Amino acid sequence: MLRNKEPYKELGSEYYLSKTRESKIKSHLAKLKNLGANIPEEMAIEAIQMV
């Protein structure tokens, strides 16, 4: 904002919520894989894209 001399732009609550949802999904998928769950790659990608 200051560096690029652009006006402040409010991204809204949906922006924040979508970022936290995506990171939570990725975190949970990683935990499931560490526990030995066999999650197909297509399902993992589909879950993240649903966000």
Side-chain angles (χ1 to χ4, degrees):
M1 186 171 75
L2 294 175
R3 184 177 346 152
N4 299 333
K5 298 184 180 180
E6 296 176 357
Y8 174 75
K9 186 185 343 177
E10 179 64 42
L11 298 175
S13 62
E14 282 300 315
Y15 175 80
Y16 174 74
L17 291 175
S18 69
K19 291 298 178 187
T20 57
R21 282 186 203 130
E22 184 177 335
S23 66
K24 284 181 183 179
I25 290 171
K26 287 180 180 180
S27 172
H28 289 305
L29 288 172
K31 288 178 183 179
L32 286 169
K33 285 184 180 181
N34 285 338
L35 291 171
N38 191 8
I39 301 168
E41 190 71 28
E42 300 85 31
M43 286 182 71
I45 292 170
E46 192 175 306
I48 293 170
Q49 289 176 347
M50 288 175 43
V51 174

